[in-house]
Amino acid sequence: MRTTIILAMILQGVATTASSFAFGADFKRDNIALRPAHTYSIVARDPVSGQLGAAVQSHWFSVGKDVIWAQPGVGAVATQSFIEVSYGPLGLAAMAEGKSAKDSLQSLLNKDEHQDVRQVGMIDANGVTAVHTGDKAIIAHCNMLGENFTVQANLMENATVCKAMADAFSTSKEDLAGRMMAALEAAQNAGGDIRGKQSAAMLVVEGEKGTPVWKGRLVDLRVEDSVDPIKELSRLLKVSRGYTKMTQGDDFMTVGEVDKALAAYAEAEVMMPENHEAVFWHAATLAAIGRVDESLPLFRKAFAMHPQWRELVPRLPASGLLPDDKCLIDKIVSLQ
């Protein structure tokens, strides 16, 4: 019940109330949590954009929902090993009140009678990092602090996993999500979880504090159960980038920047060549602004990829997405 209350308060943004739980005497644990999220993970910050994120892989079902946490402009947390989930929301609450990642982690460890089985990594919006691996984490375990990141792992094939992750993250030239993806791939190539592979997840949030959760969540991907979760997470990240580009197009249209919108839609098509959704809405946008001749080849392509789009066209004028012009609608629908 306590966990439900805390999570509800975090989601509502009541940081001050949540912090009273974080540093109250009743945080002390009487039992060792028996959810063994033994895994490898990374928490990181992009110093240019300020974006914060975390990523994880484990041979455990749906690892993302418990292990990785992030809040825009505040910080990111990975809590694993014999997991105490509340390190995530309570660590974020502490950092939201201005405590550094180092102080936030230490405050929670001080109240945890079973810190010897925990493994936790934290980073705050200033790039301060903190990591803890308890003495009783299952071997092979490791952790490393780097500039704007921490990596941590336990129950690994071997202890070289952390160095492989750190090297990959540090040398990658991608954005934050891409760099964390490189770290996960490097961990797997170095041996990964001795039990094998099952689930993976990634979370990236905006760097500006106070950004609403629904606007600040840039990447939120989970592979719950897969024979190759890292490969699937990488695929989903590419799809996510394509849909982000489509959303940018919608945003440009909203403020009347038509050329930028069309460029974004076109880029989304290139990023997702097999995705008929991007093609169709690019065509619909062109038709809606009177550039019908440019739209027709795209409509034709979308219909060939997914015939049901043809049925949708006559429904769009009622929602203001196409002109209420029967001749135009007939012209589009009759394309062969």
Side-chain angles (χ1 to χ4, degrees):
M1 181 67 174
R2 185 192 310 162
T3 301
T4 302
I5 294 171
I6 293 170
L7 290 176
M9 289 189 299
I10 292 295
L11 291 173
Q12 294 167 14
V14 190
T16 55
T17 305
S19 67
S20 68
F21 280 89
F23 304 109
D26 64 353
F27 176 77
K28 186 177 292 185
R29 302 296 169 181
D30 297 322
N31 299 297
I32 298 176
L34 296 179
R35 276 170 288 178
H38 305 300
T39 186
Y40 54 83
S41 67
I42 179 170
V43 295
R45 171 181 174 268
D46 184 288
V48 177
S49 67
Q51 292 176 4
L52 296 150
V56 61
Q57 195 282 152
S58 178
H59 190 275
W60 191 259
F61 177 72
S62 192
V63 69
K65 68 182 180 65
D66 289 336
V67 170
I68 58 173
W69 301 77
Q71 185 173 333
V74 172
V77 180
T79 172
Q80 59 195 45
S81 188
F82 290 96
I83 185 173
E84 174 50 59
V85 177
S86 62
Y87 274 82
L90 296 182
L92 291 176
M95 288 186 279
E97 286 204 327
K99 287 184 176 290
S100 70
K102 184 176 181 181
D103 290 343
S104 298
L105 177 56
Q106 191 59 55
S107 294
L108 294 173
L109 289 171
N110 289 344
K111 296 175 176 66
D112 187 351
E113 290 187 338
H114 303 294
Q115 62 171 272
D116 55 352
V117 300
R118 313 293 188 214
Q119 188 169 54
V120 186
M122 290 188 183
I123 188 166
D124 62 36
N126 295 317
V128 176
T129 54
V131 68
H132 165 80
T133 298
D135 294 339
K136 292 185 179 178
I138 299 178
I139 298 170
H141 58 67
C142 59
N143 62 61
M144 290 185 68
L145 291 168
E147 186 174 358
N148 286 298
F149 75 90
T150 78
V151 293
Q152 43 280 325
N154 64 92
L155 198 61
M156 295 293 103
E157 178 83 14
N158 58 71
T160 63
V161 164
C162 287
K163 185 178 187 307
M165 294 179 76
D167 289 347
F169 182 83
S170 298
T171 58
S172 173
K173 304 302 181 184
E174 298 283 338
D175 61 6
L176 183 62
R179 296 176 74 191
M180 291 196 300
M181 193 71 242
L184 293 185
E185 291 169 342
Q188 193 57 52
N189 290 337
D193 191 324
I194 197 170
R195 301 166 299 175
K197 302 173 286 186
Q198 185 167 1
S199 69
M202 180 180 292
L203 180 60
V204 178
V205 298
E206 286 280 11
E208 185 174 350
K209 190 173 182 180
T211 303
V213 172
W214 57 92
K215 290 183 179 180
R217 191 183 297 114
L218 303 176
V219 177
D220 189 357
L221 302 174
R222 293 182 186 176
V223 179
E224 309 289 32
D225 185 36
S226 172
V227 296
D228 198 343
I230 297 299
K231 182 177 180 180
E232 177 62 6
L233 188 66
S234 179
R235 184 191 72 80
L236 290 176
L237 181 58
K238 292 176 183 177
V239 176
S240 174
R241 294 187 195 283
Y243 273 88
T244 296
K245 190 59 64 173
M246 288 178 65
T247 300
Q248 288 176 1
D250 293 342
D251 291 342
F252 283 132
M253 284 299 298
T254 300
V255 297
E257 297 190 52
V258 176
D259 289 340
K260 289 183 178 180
L262 294 174
Y265 292 140
E267 190 173 345
E269 287 180 58
V270 172
M271 296 169 72
M272 303 183 295
E274 297 179 358
N275 189 299
H276 46 78
E277 181 109 21
V279 179
F280 179 83
W281 291 115
H282 186 185
T285 301
L286 286 167
I289 62 174
R291 293 166 62 169
V292 178
D293 289 343
E294 294 175 65
S295 76
L296 297 180
L298 293 174
F299 276 121
R300 186 179 289 111
K301 181 179 179 181
F303 296 162
M305 296 173 74
H306 188 71
Q308 285 84 349
W309 285 120
R310 194 184 303 269
E311 298 177 21
L312 182 63
V313 171
R315 306 178 191 181
L316 296 183
S319 297
L321 296 175
L322 280 177
D324 189 7
D325 181 337
K326 186 177 184 303
C327 291
L328 172 63
I329 300 303
D330 290 345
K331 185 175 186 177
I332 295 171
V333 171
S334 64
L335 286 169
Q336 298 297 322

